[in-house]
Amino acid sequence: MHNRTMFDWNDLKYLLAVARHHSTTAAGKALGLSQSTVHRRLAELERRLGCQLVTRQTTGYRLTEFGEQLLPYAERIDAAVTDFERQVAGAAGDVSGVVRVTCPEPIVFRMTQSKLIERFHALYPKLRVEFVTSDRYLDLTKGEADVAFRSGDTDDELVGRKIADSIWAVYASRAYVDRYGKPELVEDLSHHPLVGFDEALSNHRTAKWLKQVAPDAKMAARNNSVLGLVYAVKSGIGVGPLPTALGDAEPDLVRVLGPIPELARSWRLLTHPDLRRTPRISAFFDFIIEECESLKSILTG
């Protein structure tokens, strides 16, 4: 009897994705992961099996002869897992517990107003969604939350999928525009007082963008939350970037520039790989994916 560590079954999905898409980048998109994660997990699978499974060609990735031999077996395992998940879903009424969801505070309000969470609770009466609101990224690997709705850069180890686009534009209050006019070009922002994030969120893409396009502008207000930005711009103290979902919903605000391409990102639903297959998290993921269309209006406007 030998002690050689066998491969991780989870890594078969990376082999299947590359076989189907012939590219680690496309495979990553299909799995809701980065290209580097796919590449790393595939390399780990090859290391554990002791054989090369894919080869890189000018036209993309192709399976080696050994990879082709293993492919039908990997597909059978994948089909069995899918059948197993369907069986679990069939017993959805027995799924119980709490799903701790983190997202920016304004999104919680929009979700509850849309009755999205109400529909989830009706479908899974023994499950309860508990929101953990924060404008900083909570650490899912440390258990600060189970699931995150997140736009922007993320931890490479988390798994998930894109569910909507995150679009930002520059806004001012109607009173501000009546009194001071509005910027016609991005370059004009230097001549207006700005509203932006404080030092706690200095790495946020909007903070970096404002520093780049209007380095000499006067900051009229700094805040540590998106909701704080909305209130500051509404007060008429200055102009500032906001998510279009929030800015367009405010009758007192005017979109003066944008959408700004440099600020666009994807909204993604994320969790830790260890949690993804647990019944309560799987139930929440499946529900959100089914509700993708209604989510777009909540997240994008």
Side-chain angles (χ1 to χ4, degrees):
M1 184 175 175
H2 57 74
N3 293 322
R4 188 166 68 91
T5 306
M6 282 304 288
F7 65 94
D8 184 340
W9 285 21
N10 282 322
D11 288 346
L12 291 178
K13 68 187 175 191
Y14 304 106
L15 173 64
L16 285 168
V18 172
R20 288 163 185 164
H21 298 281
H22 309 297
S23 152
T24 50
T25 302
K29 284 181 180 175
L31 294 169
L33 297 167
S34 69
Q35 181 266 347
S36 61
T37 297
V38 174
H39 193 272
R40 187 173 69 252
R41 297 314 307 172
L42 201 52
E44 176 63 12
L45 179 60
E46 290 181 325
R47 186 187 71 77
R48 291 206 176 187
L49 294 177
C51 292
Q52 190 176 358
L53 299 172
V54 296
T55 178
R56 187 171 187 173
Q57 301 174 348
T58 52
T59 53
Y61 281 83
R62 290 287 179 273
L63 295 186
T64 61
E65 188 178 342
F66 182 62
E68 291 285 1
Q69 287 174 11
L70 290 186
L71 186 60
Y73 298 100
E75 286 171 338
R76 274 157 56 186
I77 292 170
D78 185 53
V81 169
T82 302
D83 289 341
F84 180 85
E85 287 173 343
R86 284 201 195 100
Q87 191 66 33
V88 170
D94 294 330
V95 179
S96 61
V98 175
V99 181
R100 291 170 305 142
V101 177
T102 180
C103 63
E105 194 175 339
I107 300 304
V108 177
F109 176 76
R110 291 172 70 84
M111 277 190 193
T112 50
Q113 288 293 102
S114 74
K115 301 197 184 312
L116 180 82
I117 302 305
E118 231 175 81
R119 292 199 293 278
F120 177 73
H121 287 152
L123 196 61
Y124 297 95
K126 295 182 182 177
L127 275 177
R128 182 169 58 84
V129 171
E130 182 182 286
F131 283 105
V132 188
T133 59
S134 177
D135 279 282
R136 74 175 179 87
Y137 284 175
L138 297 184
D139 193 338
L140 271 61
T141 61
K142 291 181 180 174
E144 291 184 341
D146 299 321
V147 173
F149 287 92
R150 192 167 288 175
S151 66
D153 301 324
T154 188
D155 186 331
D156 202 30
E157 292 304 316
L158 300 180
V159 296
R161 62 181 288 167
K162 176 182 173 178
I163 48 175
D165 293 306
S166 175
I167 301 168
W168 288 62
V170 178
Y171 291 84
S173 70
R174 294 186 186 280
Y176 180 94
V177 172
D178 289 344
R179 190 168 178 186
Y180 302 108
K182 61 181 183 179
E184 299 294 335
L185 301 166
V186 170
E187 290 76 13
D188 297 338
L189 288 175
S190 293
H191 309 301
H192 290 264
L194 302 181
V195 170
F197 285 125
D198 66 12
E199 286 304 309
L201 290 166
S202 59
N203 284 327
H204 193 279
R205 60 188 179 278
T206 57
K208 291 178 177 178
W209 180 75
L210 282 178
K211 202 168 185 180
Q212 181 187 342
V213 299
D216 302 322
K218 174 193 168 191
M219 293 300 296
R222 296 182 189 272
N223 214 286
N224 62 3
S225 76
V226 175
L227 206 54
L229 295 185
V230 175
Y231 288 135
V233 176
K234 278 177 72 174
S235 76
I237 200 170
V239 304
L242 299 172
T244 55
L246 303 183
D248 290 352
E250 295 286 345
D252 294 339
L253 296 183
V254 180
R255 191 192 290 195
V256 294
L257 290 172
I260 308 296
E262 296 94 326
L263 300 183
R265 294 291 188 277
S266 294
W267 273 106
R268 297 172 74 203
L269 179 67
L270 298 164
T271 190
H272 192 274
D274 292 347
L275 287 178
R276 177 63 183 91
R277 298 293 179 193
T278 59
R280 63 193 173 89
I281 304 304
S282 188
F284 189 75
F285 260 69
D286 291 346
F287 171 79
I288 291 298
I289 290 160
E290 284 290 321
E291 292 277 348
C292 255
E293 280 310 309
S294 59
L295 261 172
K296 283 175 185 171
S297 63
I298 294 170
L299 299 173
T300 304

